[in-house]
Amino acid sequence: MVQSERIDLNYMNRCKKYLLTPQDKQDAFERQYYHVYATRLEALKPRIMEGGKNMLGSDIEYKQLEDLEMYEKAFVIGTIEKRISKRPGVLKEIAEEELILPEDYDGDEMMSIVSNKDFLEFEDEKQIVKLEIKSDVFNVEQIIWPTPCPQRPWPSTKTGGVVAFISGLELTGDAVNDAAVTTAFELMSRWLNDEISDHIDQTSICSRIERLVVLGESIAVGQAQEFASAVHYLNLTYKEASSNVETIAILDTLLSRVSNKVKVDLVPGIGDPCMQQMPQQPIHRACLPRTSASGAALSLVTNPYEFTLGDLDFLATSGQNISDLRRLSAVSSSCDLMKHILCWQHIAPTCPDTIDGFPFDKRLTPYK
């Protein structure tokens, strides 16, 4: 069978800053998360100052909360925090595991935990103040976000290359439950290699796909809980362990059918067999022996995933940063939330609070 020749663009994996080093891991679980928040604030402060000067003039003066006088108008820099009355707690999680549910338990609570009892606070290095619509204590006139990071100009010429993204396979290891996914994946595999059409069209989208990026949640969360918890692992029965191995094997088989036709980047997500803290580390190649046989065609990367293809820079996640923001805010559109994180200059604003995050200490947090 004649196969179409794909466009070969220069590719650079830029995930190094998300990889955990031995220095990061040393005494990691003895640390508090204060260092993450403090480092984040210090890293963004110069760009907030720049944004303030652009909007308010170059003569603005930055002050800390404790230095303010009564009724003084000032420019302050800090972190806005949302206090959520329905925030899940450790006791509630234990109660759910033991099937001891409180009277006010809401099974749909995890979809959205926003209520009219929530409120905002502003915190700098030394003090916290509550933000209210009408307040005689602290009145906010304007919010200034950090200036954007320098960006390369948009390419003046088009290469014709295409990057494809898929997400949420949620394989279970059950042939019946996975039938729709495996069938669709097989059709996609044939489409990627122009096997569905009677002729090769070098201008078609499928023939111009340079990379296929699989963005997380490849394994159903219910099937992967045992991977994420040592306690669950120690209590596995042979049947449960076998089911998870079969699930990984199905994913390996599916990816192997594609990786010999197009380069594949596998990004981990919630439930996948890897560390669940952000930034998630790459899935080990031992989990995917068939696909790994293709060598460089398979890239096992971090979540978040940052790369350059041709003259374009990409930054992708498996989506838990956006899903968590939807739970914690009244904004229902994921596209709107992605616009917000660009404005905020922060890829995971709720990490490490409501998204598990690694307690960085020795270097800058990579989430900004």
Side-chain angles (χ1 to χ4, degrees), residues 318-361:
S318 66
Q320 62 261 58
N321 55 333
I322 300 299
S323 299
D324 199 54
L325 282 172
R326 291 183 64 180
R327 288 196 311 126
L328 305 177
S329 72
V331 181
S332 59
S333 169
S334 296
C335 290
D336 288 342
L337 288 171
M338 285 190 281
K339 292 179 182 178
H340 285 319
I341 64 174
L342 287 176
C343 178
W344 301 333
Q345 291 292 285
H346 200 303
I347 192 173
T350 60
C351 180
D353 191 17
T354 52
I355 293 180
D356 288 340
F358 187 84
F360 286 99
D361 181 24

Side-chain angles (χ1 to χ4, degrees), residues 3 17 31 168 170 192 195 259 276 290 300 313 356:
Q3 295 186 352
K17 66 179 179 180
R31 304 180 201 140
E170 295 187 343
L192 284 172
E195 295 177 2
S259 60
Q276 296 300 298
R290 292 186 180 181
L300 298 173
D313 298 328
D356 288 340

Side-chain angles (χ1 to χ4, degrees), residues 111 166-185 214-225 227 243-244 246-252 254-255 266-273 283 318-320 323:
M111 299 302 295
I166 63 173
S167 181
L169 298 178
E170 295 187 343
L171 297 169
T172 65
D174 182 272
V176 176
N177 292 336
D178 295 338
V181 174
T182 54
T183 301
F185 206 97
V214 184
L215 289 171
E217 298 185 26
S218 301
I219 307 299
V221 174
Q223 289 291 318
Q225 288 178 348
F227 289 111
S243 174
N244 283 314
E246 291 173 359
T247 307
I248 298 296
I250 293 173
L251 175 64
D252 188 21
L254 293 178
L255 293 178
L266 182 59
V267 181
I270 295 176
D272 290 339
I283 297 173
S318 66
Q320 62 261 58
S323 299

